[in-house]
């Protein structure tokens, strides 16, 4: 019931978010047609703005964005004006839907790979560090986690390219077209999150290991392996689960820096460039998409909590 | 297990296409491929390969040569052009291209609903500006007429000597009426998309690539050298260089795709090419605001600007210092000398304007745009140099201000600045493309400067049919612009760059407009026996 209620609020929340994004992006000085070259006459500029309804008052543009405008046509009949949310002001032969349907699957794939990598590396490293607390394994694992969290992706990526692509010619330098192209970006994007996951799990494990029920279980004679795996891990992984919501949203909506370095046709580039280019419709659509992803992933995380920890109850 | 699953998942997500014959790093992702709408050089390179106009630019000289029109007649007063279209010109779908197609394409470019920045290119045609503004009473008053299926007549307002250059401009290219009427804004996604140029559009994936396929029905298809050409958008200069180095790209030809920091190393390589290019870097004064509403102050700043030091320090590629606005290599023109570097005279002028040794000079800002994604911050480096020169030469401290690009250009248009970094690249090889900028009504003036004598000289040059006299009017106008009034200060003339290995790629000839028709470009496939295929020349 709790989750259904939250789901029911979502459309309203998204509407508010889109309005805020719409107002903010229009508050920026300048417009999408400001360029180094102006058209030959001011009339051309005026007509261009009129063609995209940028000369209308903001409230009307907002209603038009949502498709809530009816206008009289030349014959004097009232007609529904098409919604403007789908028209990109910069990529004028592509709709916003085109941009998202072309770029989102790429970001989805790269994000899924980076997420898999972050979990596939981060969880074992964190678990291993905690299980061998104080030993050389812990030192090594903790150093790895700290190192990759401290060195940003835009510093790791060129080093990876230099070694694997330019020097050894094992992998492609950039672009997106085969499984080989996905390896370096996955590493560059996923390493940071692998470090974060490892640190979260290690800390979770260490604090869980001091809990009374663990001592009790140990006193009962449970083996160390089943203690760590069956009891400590289930609780210690909760911070990782709650972190994975925003993490997935972040990865799925793309990484501007990594996409730019590897020239990957994902969504991250549009996130940044559409706002710099004042491509109003794309900016708002992506803000809503990002918000929707975050809302649903947080819901999913909260739901997963109830499965992992029977003590959690939202009712 | 985990790796195998991930690997299998990834393999299922990619599909393989045949490799391209030539792969080119083309700069930014095309905003559009509609010739009536495009504004950027990367887009124009592609649209010219897809949609041809009555003329096209020669691959060697960038001068206009017959395109869809095989010949033309010009009236003695230079105001009436009669074009004779090729009878063998057909769309890529096989239908004939007629003069009605040309008329429809030009009217579409002149339709405000098309929302093309470059609609103004057609305003030299009689009645065109009124047609655009909805003031034309009857269509018959417009100077565009299809005389018969293969003859087109254009009546001009003025004897425009560069009209044939304008006809090669994308805005005047011939576009497919049927597809546009059927699909509206999405007409470029029509299948099949009828094209009038040397290529058809094979594939256009956003931020990934534009794939062009040879159009076998193009009237000059015999000279199309490559079957498949891929043009890749690239956001980072370093990535472009790496892709080129590892053989994933054959040609890199956008100025923003050359890593600025590596220029001195790159330019020593045999595959790195530089050439004179019709473009000028300069800065504007806001002449509507004190202190730059005083020509003495503007001239003082110009005289205190050491262009030779600037280019020597910043550009190992041989950019030439600019003392006048129109580049030296512009056709049929001899520019004036302009103001030299003379700090003593600069100080005198500044003192005469009331600022002895720069004292009491008000706080002013030099605005410059933030670098486009991935490009080196050249404008920032220039700004720092200028600041130093004016401090040393005039005793004036100018504050530097970097502004996000759209906001920067908006502020420049609204005259919300003191000093503003600027550049201009020629649309065609004629002084008019530069000097027309600073007439009182030009949308690109952006200085607030108006000078009746300057406007009159430009108008008289435009009316002139004699090349030498026309050049003289332009020269006198430019003297006002760079010597007497100085609403702008030219800094240097652009040098064009590209890199490709001449042993592996042919069909690129350097010229002042950076014009390289894709039609002639091909990879040389050497066979052990003959050392290469037959060269393919236009």
């Amino acid at each position: 019931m709790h989750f259904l209620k939250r789901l029911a609020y979502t459309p309203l929340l998204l509407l508010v978010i889109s309005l805020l994004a719409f107002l903010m992006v229009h508050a920026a000085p300048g417009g999408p047609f400001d360029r180094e070259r102006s058209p030959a006459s001011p009339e051309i500029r005026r007509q261009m703005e009129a063609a995209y309804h940028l000369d209308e008052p903001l409230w009307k543009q907002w209603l038009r964005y949502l498709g809530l405008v009816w206008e009289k046509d030349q014959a004097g009949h009232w007609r529904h004006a098409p919604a403007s949310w789908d028209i990109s002001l910069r990529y004028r032969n592509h709709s916003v839907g085109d941009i998202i349907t072309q770029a989102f699957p790429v970001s989805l794939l790269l994000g899924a790979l980076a997420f898999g990598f972050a979990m596939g590396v981060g969880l074992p490293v964190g678990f291993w560090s905690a299980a061998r607390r104080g030993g050389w394994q812990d030192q090594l694992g903790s150093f790895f986690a700290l190192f990759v969290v401290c060195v940003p992706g835009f510093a790791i990526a060129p080093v990876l390219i230099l070694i694997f692509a330019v020097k050894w010619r094992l992998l492609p330098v950039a672009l997106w077209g085969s499984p080989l192209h996905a390896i370096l970006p996955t590493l560059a994007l996923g390493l940071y999150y692998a470090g974060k996951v490892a640190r979260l799990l290690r800390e979770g494990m260490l604090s869980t290991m001091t809990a009374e029920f663990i001592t009790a279980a140990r006193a009962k004679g449970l083996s160390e392996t089943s203690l760590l795996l069956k009891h400590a891990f289930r609780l210690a992984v909760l911070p990782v689960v709650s972190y994975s919501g925003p993490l997935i949203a972040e990865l799925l909506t793309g990484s501007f820096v990594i996409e730019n370095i590897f020239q990957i046709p994902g969504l991250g580039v549009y996130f940044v460039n559409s706002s710099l280019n004042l491509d109003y419709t794309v900016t708002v659509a992506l803000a809503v998409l990002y918000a929707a992803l975050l809302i649903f992933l947080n819901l999913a995380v909260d739901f997963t909590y109830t499965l992992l920890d029977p003590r959690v109850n939202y009712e | 297990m985990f790796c195998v699953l991930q690997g299998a998942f990834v393999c299922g997500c990619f599909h393989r296409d045949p490799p391209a014959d030539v792969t080119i790093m083309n700069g930014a992702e095309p905003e559009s491929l509609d010739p009536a709408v495009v504004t950027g050089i990367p887009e124009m390179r592609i649209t010219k390969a897809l949609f041809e106009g009555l003329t096209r630019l020669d691959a060697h000289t960038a001068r206009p040569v017959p395109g869809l029109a095989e010949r033309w007649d010009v009236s003695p007063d230079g105001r009436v052009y009669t074009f004779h279209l090729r009878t063998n010109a057909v769309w890529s779908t096989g239908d004939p291209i007629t003069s009605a197609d040309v008329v429809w394409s030009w009217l579409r470019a002149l339709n405000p609903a098309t929302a093309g920045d470059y609609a103004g290119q057609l305003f030299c045609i009689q009645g065109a500006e009124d047609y655009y503004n909805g003031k034309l009473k009857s269509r018959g008053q417009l100077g565009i007429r299809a005389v018969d299926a293969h003859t087109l007549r254009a009546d001009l307002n003025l004897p425009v000597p560069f009209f044939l250059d304008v006809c090669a401009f994308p805005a005047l290219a011939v576009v497919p009426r049927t597809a546009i009427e059927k699909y509206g804004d999405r007409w470029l996604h029509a299948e099949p998309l009828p094209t009038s140029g040397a290529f058809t559009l094979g594939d256009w994936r956003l931020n990934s690539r534009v794939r062009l396929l040879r159009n076998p029905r193009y009237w000059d298809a015999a000279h199309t050298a490559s079957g498949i050409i891929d043009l890749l958008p690239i956001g980072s200069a370093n990535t472009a260089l790496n892709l080129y180095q590892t053989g994933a790209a054959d040609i890199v030809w956008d100025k923003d795709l050359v890593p600025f920091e590596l220029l001195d190393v790159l330019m020593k390589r045999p595959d790195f090419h530089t050439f004179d290019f019709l473009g000028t870097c300069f800065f504007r004064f806001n002449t509507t605001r004190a202190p730059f509403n005083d020509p003495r102050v503007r001239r003082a700043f110009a005289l205190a600007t050491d262009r030779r030091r600037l280019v020597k320090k910043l550009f190992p590629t041989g950019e030439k210092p600019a003392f006048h606005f129109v580049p030296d290599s512009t056709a049929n023109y001899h520019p004036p000398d302009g103001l030299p570097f003379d700090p003593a005279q600069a100080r005198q002028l500044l003192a005469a304007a009331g600022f002895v040794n720069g004292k009491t000079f008000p706080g002013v800002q030099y605005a410059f745009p933030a670098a486009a994604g991935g490009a080196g911050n050249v404008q920032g480096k220039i700004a720092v140099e200028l600041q130093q020169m004016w401090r040393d030469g005039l005793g004036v401290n100018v504050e530097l201000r970097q502004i996000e690009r759209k906001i920067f250009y908006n502020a420049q248009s609204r005259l919300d600045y003191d000093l503003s970094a600027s550049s201009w690249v020629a649309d065609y090889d004629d002084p008019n493309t530069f000097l027309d900028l600073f007439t009182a009504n030009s949308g690109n003036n952006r200085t607030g400067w108006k000078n009746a004598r300057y406007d009159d000289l430009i108008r008289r040059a435009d009316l002139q049919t004699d090349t030498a006299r026309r050049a003289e009017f332009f020269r006198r106008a430019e003297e006002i612009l760079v010597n007497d009034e100085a609403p702008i200060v030219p800094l240097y003339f652009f040098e064009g760059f590209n890199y490709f290995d001449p042993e592996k790629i042919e069909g690129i000839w350097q010229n002042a407009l950076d014009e390289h028709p894709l039609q002639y470009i091909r990879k040389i496939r050497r066979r052990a026996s003959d050392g290469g295929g037959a060269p393919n020349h236009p």
Side-chain angles (χ1 to χ4, degrees), chain A residues 29-45 47-48 51-52 90-95 98-99 102 109 112-113 116-117 120 161 165-166 169 173-179 182 260-266 269-270 276-278, chain B residues 2 6 9-11 13-16 29-34 37 39 112 114-120 123 132-133 185-186 188-189 204-208 232-236 239 242-243 245-246 404 406-407 409-410 413 423-425 427 443-444 446:
Chain A
F33 300 129
D34 281 313
R35 298 184 221 270
E36 187 165 9
R37 288 166 175 246
S38 297
S41 89
E43 181 61 18
I44 298 180
R45 168 70 185 256
Q47 292 281 7
M48 283 170 63
Y52 289 92
R90 183 174 174 90
Y91 301 107
R92 285 157 70 178
N93 302 122
H94 291 276
S95 64
D98 278 342
I99 293 175
Q102 283 192 33
L109 177 58
L113 288 173
F117 177 80
I161 293 173
V166 178
R169 304 272 170 117
V173 167
L175 304 180
W176 192 252
S178 74
N260 203 36
I261 293 176
F262 289 99
Q263 195 56 41
I264 297 169
V269 175
Y270 292 100
L276 289 181
N277 294 324
L278 299 181
Chain B
F2 167 75
Q6 277 217 337
F9 172 58
V10 173
C11 288
C13 294
F14 291 103
H15 53 94
R16 291 199 74 80
E29 164 68 23
E31 290 182 27
S32 169
L33 291 181
D34 181 341
V37 163
T39 56
T114 307
D117 281 62
Y118 272 112
F123 285 1
Y132 185 88
N133 296 334
D185 268 354
R186 298 182 57 77
L188 281 151
H189 303 280
W204 179 12
R205 275 189 260 144
L206 272 166
N207 241 336
S208 178
L232 311 186
I234 291 286
S236 150
T239 305
N242 283 335
L243 284 166
Q245 292 284 84
T246 52
E404 202 44 65
K406 291 275 173 193
I407 301 168
Y409 295 124
N410 181 267
S413 302
S423 64
W424 191 257
V425 171
D427 287 331
N444 284 303
R446 300 184 183 184

Side-chain angles (χ1 to χ4, degrees), chain B residues 215-280:
Chain B
N215 172 7
R217 292 197 168 105
Y218 178 57
W219 64 268
D220 191 27
H223 284 119
T224 308
S226 296
I228 305 176
I229 295 186
D230 276 355
L231 295 113
L232 311 186
I234 291 286
S236 150
N238 291 322
T239 305
L241 181 63
N242 283 335
L243 284 166
Y244 174 77
Q245 292 284 84
T246 52
D250 304 302
I251 301 163
V252 181
W253 66 13
D254 195 86
K255 218 173 153 65
D256 282 342
L257 291 184
V258 180
F260 191 72
E261 290 72 17
L262 297 178
L263 268 182
D264 46 347
V265 182
L266 287 171
M267 65 169 302
K268 291 180 191 135
R269 293 167 37 156
D271 55 349
F272 186 82
H273 315 280
T274 63
F275 53 94
D276 283 343
F277 178 51
L278 294 188
T280 310

Side-chain angles (χ1 to χ4, degrees), chain B residues 399-446:
Chain B
E399 195 186 320
L400 304 184
R401 186 160 170 239
Q402 175 172 294
I403 309 176
E404 202 44 65
R405 295 179 83 78
K406 291 275 173 193
I407 301 168
F408 172 83
Y409 295 124
N410 181 267
Q412 201 181 57
S413 302
R414 288 186 296 109
L415 295 178
D416 183 15
Y417 71 91
D418 300 315
L419 295 143
S420 182
S422 306
S423 64
W424 191 257
V425 171
D427 287 331
Y428 39 85
D429 191 357
D430 189 273
N432 180 280
T433 189
F434 287 94
L435 295 176
D436 190 50
L437 240 66
F438 296 102
T439 52
N441 294 325
S442 160
N444 284 303
N445 181 313
R446 300 184 183 184

Side-chain angles (χ1 to χ4, degrees), chain B residues 138-201:
Chain B
S138 84
R139 163 72 183 78
Q141 291 173 295
L142 185 64
I144 308 172
R145 274 176 213 92
V147 178
D148 60 46
H150 291 98
T151 314
L152 178 113
R153 179 182 152 138
D155 292 65
L156 311 185
N157 294 319
L158 301 164
V160 180
F162 49 87
F163 185 63
L164 293 173
D165 296 76
V166 171
C167 287
F169 205 75
L172 281 80
V174 182
V175 288
R177 177 178 187 168
T178 41
I180 295 171
E181 285 182 340
K182 191 169 174 193
Y183 297 101
D185 268 354
R186 298 182 57 77
W187 67 275
L188 281 151
H189 303 280
E191 279 184 21
L193 172 69
T195 62
S196 52
F199 290 87
T200 60
L201 186 59

Side-chain angles (χ1 to χ4, degrees), chain B residues 508-526:
Chain B
I508 297 182
W509 299 276
Q510 310 297 4
N511 53 58
L513 284 180
D514 200 6
E515 179 73 25
H516 311 295
L518 294 168
Q519 192 193 357
Y520 305 118
I521 299 173
R522 69 169 198 150
K523 208 179 259 182
I524 305 167
R525 296 187 200 286
R526 288 192 184 281

Side-chain angles (χ1 to χ4, degrees), chain B residues 351-405:
Chain B
F355 307 107
V356 181
N357 293 328
K359 284 182 189 133
T360 69
F361 197 84
V364 290
Q365 282 184 338
Y366 180 91
F368 60 96
N377 189 5
V378 183
Q379 286 295 351
K381 292 187 171 81
I382 293 171
V384 171
E385 286 299 313
L386 291 176
Q387 185 187 44
Q388 182 70 39
M389 284 174 200
W390 296 329
R391 189 182 295 141
D392 296 346
L394 299 172
V396 169
N397 192 29
V398 174
E399 195 186 320
L400 304 184
R401 186 160 170 239
Q402 175 172 294
I403 309 176
E404 202 44 65
R405 295 179 83 78

